[in-house]
Amino acid sequence: MNRSESVFGNMQPSSVQRKAVRSKAKYQKKFGDDSKADYSAVVVPNEYIGDMLGVSNIAIGSAAPGTAEGFDKEKGIIVGNIRMGFGHYRISMAIASAANHMGYKPYWMDLNSYKQTTCTKVISAQNDLYSTGSRLSQKSRLFNRIVWEPLNYEGFRQLTYNSGDQKNAELMAPVFANVPKDIPVVATHVWPAQAALHADMRYVVNAIPDNWPMALHFAEGSIHTVQTHYAYQGYRICNGMAKDKVLSPMPEDNLVYTGHYIDHELVANIEEDCRRRLERKAQGKPMRFLLTIGGAGAQKEIFAAIINELMPAVREKKAALYVNIGDYMNVWDDLKKMCPDIGMSTTTHFNNWNDTVKFAGDALDGDVEGIHLFCHDNIFEAVYATNLLMRSCDVLVTKPSELAFYPVPKLFIKRIGGHEQWGAIHSAEIGDGTLECRDIPHTLQMINLFLEDHTTLEGMCGCIVRNKENGIYDGAYEVVRIAMEMKNS
């Protein structure tokens, strides 16, 4: 089946199809063609989040060709992902957490981690391009306005973009050569979904991350899930995906609204965590702000401005800061230059996972003062540290990325890419986050509003509890249920 020719009955122009073929040929020439490879697939321990989430890794090509070992064909479920920033890893962790809680065995399959394969070489090349563009968009307003915003907002939205991705994904299929075909796959990026379908995996769920409908995310043959009703309507009619042309809609059984993809550990403790937040506020304890710097390491200037603004409140024990810089140690060097007083008030938690886990646990009921800065070279720890710290923080400060959907009071700083603004809009509408603060003065205004009044935090905590009652944060459970029902039915 040539999936680059049409999408849900909407034919691609012949010029678009030819361009897709040339794109695949370019990558084949550059990285080789391993379509005949018989890569082994072996389940191995995940040393970092394996115990917490019950997840194991799928190692590709580490054993004799044709080998398939360690799979639980009854309870196994594959979480297919890539590292492109931190977002897709974080959603994958939510799916794995829910699957583990529901009694299934999640397998972590990162298509960007098999360095010997054409699959990973193609993904890494595109990831490098995206990361470069993301950083450049933060340095050049002209580039952001003319190139980056239009690409992320309208370029990826167009149906024609899907054709090239589908063709390139044919090069990713060989990594599934010996993965059992009847184990369900939940993909948290479209490429693993497309690759799984090209490899004839039988049960594929495509967990779409964004609230802005884009044809980029289509993987026809899978069940597509979305986190919001807005996204459902946009995807169902392929809204704006061929400019003003009215397109054939998605079949109703191809698209499901699930709610937000959230870890079981966070959903299960919503009421208690919100109670603690309000109790700390009532008792005048330092308000805890969690600043999370994503995988691109961008927006340092905004975070530095926040830290400098809050430094007097930190000294007066009116505020405390958690700063997670992910796996970007260079950000710490930059912050020390941009925030002259940060070193005097900061406790560092570097590459000591046990220390980070203990701090996060102690902070739930204990007191926290000063600034605590976290950095972990390992990608699993770098991402999951935010999840652990989220429960004991009062306010999460983040761009409106995948974290826009998490059940914690949120302050949204300026987006990276036009599609992200719709995450902030959704969050503000359901009451668990602020509007997008598009410049530093408005960001600092909102910081002080959280710090000085009671209604902002109280209102968001109340909405979060009610949202849970309405099932808004149950998306990860629903995605797992859909995947397993595909198989069992």
Side-chain angles (χ1 to χ4, degrees), residues 46-85:
N46 184 307
E47 300 176 2
Y48 302 99
I49 57 172
D51 292 339
M52 287 183 169
L53 301 181
V55 66
S56 303
N57 290 348
I58 297 179
I60 297 297
S62 61
T67 302
E69 290 181 354
F71 291 94
D72 184 333
K73 294 187 179 181
E74 180 182 354
K75 295 290 187 179
I77 182 169
I78 295 167
V79 185
N81 57 73
I82 65 170
R83 180 188 174 176
M84 182 170 281

Side-chain angles (χ1 to χ4, degrees), residues 28 55 96 118 146 178 219 416 423 475:
Q28 280 179 309
V55 66
T118 300
I146 295 176
N178 284 289
I416 300 180

Side-chain angles (χ1 to χ4, degrees), residues 235-299:
Y235 277 108
R236 185 70 200 281
I237 65 171
C238 303
N239 189 46
M241 295 181 185
K243 303 299 182 182
D244 295 329
K245 182 180 179 181
V246 176
L247 296 170
S248 298
M250 292 182 69
E252 62 177 305
D253 58 355
N254 281 211
L255 182 65
V256 181
Y257 162 79
T258 61
H260 302 184
Y261 315 134
I262 307 297
D263 313 58
H264 165 71
E265 292 76 13
L266 293 170
V267 177
N269 290 287
I270 281 175
E271 294 89 349
E272 183 63 15
D273 292 344
C274 284
R275 182 195 65 77
R276 289 191 182 106
R277 291 180 183 113
L278 297 180
E279 187 176 87
R280 286 192 292 268
K281 186 72 170 175
Q283 294 175 355
K285 292 187 176 182
M287 176 165 271
R288 304 169 180 184
F289 293 88
L290 168 55
L291 282 56
T292 177
I293 299 179
Q299 298 178 301

Side-chain angles (χ1 to χ4, degrees), residues 153 211-213 228-235 239 422 426 429:
Y153 200 54
N211 193 29
W212 176 243
T228 74
H229 293 292
Y230 176 87
Y232 181 92
Q233 292 187 36
Y235 277 108
N239 189 46
W422 293 91
H426 171 72
E429 287 180 336

Side-chain angles (χ1 to χ4, degrees), residues 187-446:
T188 61
H189 186 281
V190 70
W191 294 340
Q194 293 169 345
L197 292 166
H198 286 303
D200 297 322
M201 299 297 290
R202 296 193 184 111
Y203 315 111
V204 181
V205 177
N206 178 22
I208 295 174
D210 295 311
N211 193 29
W212 176 243
M214 296 186 288
L216 161 74
H217 292 301
F218 281 144
E220 187 174 3
S222 67
I223 291 181
H224 300 68
T225 64
V226 291
Q227 301 186 82
T228 74
H229 293 292
Y230 176 87
Y232 181 92
Q233 292 187 36
Y235 277 108
R236 185 70 200 281
I237 65 171
C238 303
N239 189 46
M241 295 181 185
K243 303 299 182 182
D244 295 329
K245 182 180 179 181
V246 176
L247 296 170
S248 298
M250 292 182 69
E252 62 177 305
D253 58 355
N254 281 211
L255 182 65
V256 181
Y257 162 79
T258 61
H260 302 184
Y261 315 134
I262 307 297
D263 313 58
H264 165 71
E265 292 76 13
L266 293 170
V267 177
N269 290 287
I270 281 175
E271 294 89 349
E272 183 63 15
D273 292 344
C274 284
R275 182 195 65 77
R276 289 191 182 106
R277 291 180 183 113
L278 297 180
E279 187 176 87
R280 286 192 292 268
K281 186 72 170 175
Q283 294 175 355
K285 292 187 176 182
M287 176 165 271
R288 304 169 180 184
F289 293 88
L290 168 55
L291 282 56
T292 177
I293 299 179
Q299 298 178 301
K300 293 186 293 286
E301 294 78 9
I302 300 174
F303 286 108
I306 294 170
I307 293 168
N308 287 329
E309 178 74 11
L310 283 173
M311 195 64 72
V314 170
R315 286 194 290 264
E316 295 168 10
K317 299 183 180 180
K318 294 180 180 179
L321 296 180
Y322 306 160
V323 183
N324 182 18
I325 60 174
D327 56 354
Y328 286 83
M329 186 64 76
N330 62 292
V331 173
W332 175 226
D333 296 328
D334 294 335
L335 289 177
K336 284 187 288 187
K337 297 174 184 176
M338 301 164 76
C339 307
D341 297 331
I342 192 171
M344 296 183 290
S345 306
T346 299
T347 301
T348 56
H349 306 261
F350 291 165
N351 292 315
N352 188 336
W353 186 236
N354 290 334
D355 170 64
T356 296
V357 173
K358 183 178 186 304
F359 175 89
D362 292 345
L364 290 173
D365 290 309
D367 292 332
V368 176
E369 297 177 356
I371 300 173
H372 294 265
L373 191 136
F374 301 84
C375 185
H376 297 87
D377 291 338
N378 177 267
I379 178 62
F380 291 103
E381 297 171 349
V383 175
Y384 202 64
T386 291
N387 295 43
L388 292 177
L389 295 168
M390 205 181 296
R391 286 194 55 201
S392 70
C393 80
D394 295 318
V395 181
L396 171 65
V397 182
T398 178
K399 68 186 182 75
S401 57
E402 83 292 341
L403 286 169
F405 300 93
Y406 275 70
V408 57
K410 294 173 290 288
L411 189 165
F412 293 117
I413 63 174
K414 183 181 178 182
R415 66 184 182 262
I416 300 180
H419 63 294
E420 289 187 342
Q421 66 181 301
W422 293 91
I425 291 170
H426 171 72
S427 178
E429 287 180 336
I430 66 171
D432 65 4
T434 69
L435 302 171
E436 178 191 355
C437 299
R438 297 186 177 182
D439 57 32
I440 288 175
H442 284 93
T443 301
L444 300 183
Q445 178 193 42
M446 193 61 73

Side-chain angles (χ1 to χ4, degrees), residues 23 67 80 157 186 215 299 424:
S23 177
T67 302
R157 186 187 188 190
V186 173
Q299 298 178 301

